[in-house]
Amino acid sequence: MSATQEVRPDGRRRVLADLTPLRTSADYRRLWFGNTVTWVGQGMTTLAISLQVYDITRSPFAVGLVGLFTLVPLVVFGLYGGAIADTVDRRRLGLASSTGLAALSAVLCVAAFAGFHHVWFLYGIVSLQAVCAALNAPARSSMIPRLLPAEQLRAANALNSMTTTFGTLVGPSLGGVVVGLAGYQTAYLIDAVAFSASLYAMWRLPSMLPERTGPAGAGGADGAVRPKRASVLDGLRFLATRPNLRMTFFSDFCAMILAHPRALFPAVAVLWYGGDAKTTGLLVAAPACGALLGGVFSGWQGRIRHHGQAILISVAAWGTAIALFGLTRDLWLGLLLLAAAGYADTVSMIFRNTMLQVAAPDEMRGRLQGVFIVVVVGGPRLGDFLAGSVADLTSPAVAVTGGGLACVLAIGLLTLYGKGFRRYDARHPEP
């Protein structure tokens, strides 16, 4: 990357997020704006469904099942969604899956207006939403490298991280206000309408059939060349032979499985800080706020070309912040450490996504994004289970601090093992 890409016209180094992708590509600009609106709408619906399930059942366990009915389809269909994205026109797949999500929000709205309040119905809807999301995410992510030059992908991933975090923070908060003022049906209606921005953006995109380096496939009866059907196993075999790409997933597992204290926040709020549900909310929000700042103040990242080193350092920073969080009993210091962890996680995510998009061939990007979804969705759940189990056997302090230290140790071992990953150069990407 040339220095001119990361220095302002007046010579000052770039600190804030690089907006070049938004300025240079109208297609990416529309897609980014549409995704931002959609994430907010989906955040509203996610909270509204949880509130509605609780209103019907008065059972926290029933609300917890919403997460299970979301998790299983995301994990199961994440891999297959990536394979489909490597077979068909990604624009059409994105349109179809986004239309499905919009239609499901509309169904929720109609049911709420009609007074149709049944838990099994809501569980079914969230499961179908997860299936559509598992099909949509690989298609949408694999579109980005076709819309922007390689040197702008790091900046685009930083902008995308801001979209995700902004929607995660604002969507549920806005959903709570809307449900309180105007009912569930209004929250669902807003979400359905919000999808129009994403649908319009995808409608304006060109056709995006996967580009293949090998044979395209057999010809049909009309003589046209048919795209080869992408295999999930082929994608996993490809990943097994590409050490640098494989290391991006291993490093994320170190953070998400070994040092993920989210499940302990309710207990920590009471035992460490003498707080209540509001304190738990602050603990949950702190990493998200740090993650948002990681996207906003991402300009400096453009000067980093050894992306593997940046990932290793970022994950080590996450583990260190979590370990220190386990040692402090001052609430504001604890929140600051969690925000620092969230910032480090975003930095790691930006470089990991960039490596997956740049170093992988286009025909494999959908499947690798499918694996990415499974890791991102499944890793934290395993981390919740591990943290809860260790805390139950020992104490929350041991679980949090021990998990952070285990993360730092594991990433140190990966650093010794992954010499090629440490030397990875964005100017000469090697998978």
Side-chain angles (χ1 to χ4, degrees):
M1 298 182 184
S2 64
T4 57
Q5 292 170 334
E6 300 303 326
V7 179
R8 295 179 183 275
D10 60 3
R12 290 182 291 116
R13 291 288 186 181
R14 187 186 301 278
V15 175
L16 297 178
D18 185 357
L19 303 182
T20 302
L22 296 175
R23 291 196 297 265
T24 59
S25 173
D27 284 333
Y28 175 76
R29 184 166 59 248
R30 284 190 293 265
L31 193 62
W32 182 84
F33 176 77
N35 288 340
T36 301
V37 175
T38 298
W39 269 99
V40 173
Q42 284 285 274
M44 292 175 58
T45 290
T46 298
L47 181 76
I49 288 176
S50 296
L51 291 174
Q52 191 173 6
V53 168
Y54 185 75
D55 278 350
I56 295 171
T57 64
R58 295 295 170 180
S59 167
F61 176 75
V63 177
L65 285 178
V66 173
L68 181 63
F69 278 98
T70 300
L71 172 63
V72 174
L74 277 174
V75 172
V76 172
F77 286 91
L79 294 174
Y80 287 100
I84 295 172
D86 285 340
T87 301
V88 303
D89 184 347
R90 289 161 178 165
R91 169 185 172 272
R92 290 188 177 183
L93 179 60
L95 270 174
S97 52
S98 293
T99 300
L101 286 167
L104 290 169
S105 293
V107 170
L108 284 169
C109 176
V110 172
F113 270 116
F116 188 76
H117 304 301
H118 296 281
V119 174
W120 62 265
F121 169 76
L122 297 174
Y123 287 159
I125 291 293
V126 297
S127 297
L128 292 175
Q129 285 177 328
V131 172
C132 290
L135 297 174
N136 184 267
R140 188 178 62 247
S141 297
S142 54
M143 290 177 187
I144 306 300
R146 301 280 289 272
L147 301 177
L148 298 168
E151 62 269 17
Q152 294 183 19
L153 290 179
R154 196 273 323 158
N157 284 317
L159 293 170
N160 293 341
S161 75
M162 293 166 58
T163 289
T164 305
T165 309
F166 180 78
T168 302
L169 282 172
V170 175
S173 302
L174 186 60
V177 173
V178 170
V179 169
L181 294 176
Y184 304 113
Q185 63 273 12
T186 305
Y188 299 142
L189 178 60
I190 292 174
D191 185 24
V193 173
F195 269 104
S196 60
S198 180
L199 291 171
Y200 173 75
M202 289 192 184
W203 180 263
R204 292 288 302 274
L205 293 175
S207 175
M208 289 195 187
L209 284 167
E211 296 176 346
R212 304 201 177 279
T213 56
D222 57 358
V225 176
R226 305 302 185 203
K228 179 183 176 182
R229 182 179 298 277
S231 165
V232 173
L233 291 179
D234 285 344
L236 295 176
R237 293 189 191 102
F238 172 84
L239 185 60
T241 59
R242 302 302 190 273
N244 287 336
L245 296 181
R246 192 168 63 245
M247 280 284 288
T248 64
F249 294 106
F250 288 163
S251 61
D252 192 41
F253 273 135
C254 290
M256 294 298 99
I257 296 179
L258 298 176
H260 198 261
R262 180 183 59 188
L264 304 181
F265 284 164
V268 163
V270 175
L271 298 176
W272 294 3
Y273 306 118
D276 52 16
K278 294 179 182 178
T279 309
T280 303
L282 289 174
L283 295 174
V284 172
C289 290
L292 182 60
L293 292 176
V296 172
F297 296 99
S298 59
W300 62 271
Q301 297 168 17
R303 300 192 293 274
I304 306 299
R305 56 189 179 89
H306 294 291
H307 290 185
Q309 289 183 15
I311 293 170
L312 294 170
I313 293 172
S314 299
V315 176
W318 162 278
T320 301
I322 295 299
L324 292 175
F325 168 71
L327 296 175
T328 183
R329 295 300 177 267
D330 180 83
L331 176 60
W332 295 109
L333 178 58
L335 294 175
L336 181 62
L337 289 168
L338 289 176
Y343 185 99
D345 183 50
T346 291
V347 174
S348 170
M349 184 275 296
I350 291 171
F351 285 117
R352 284 185 288 113
N353 242 336
T354 303
M355 286 183 65
L356 288 176
Q357 292 171 339
V358 174
D362 185 71
E363 62 186 297
M364 286 290 175
R365 284 177 181 148
R367 277 165 285 187
L368 291 182
Q369 287 298 328
V371 175
F372 184 80
I373 291 172
V374 172
V375 171
V376 168
V377 172
R381 270 67 180 188
L382 291 175
D384 289 342
F385 175 76
L386 179 61
S389 300
V390 174
D392 190 55
L393 293 173
T394 57
S395 70
V398 171
V400 175
T401 301
L405 294 176
C407 171
V408 174
L409 176 61
I411 207 67
L413 294 175
L414 283 182
T415 301
L416 295 176
Y417 166 75
K419 296 180 180 179
F421 190 66
R422 296 199 311 269
R423 293 193 297 264
Y424 177 92
D425 191 331
R427 298 176 302 181
H428 309 288
E430 291 290 338

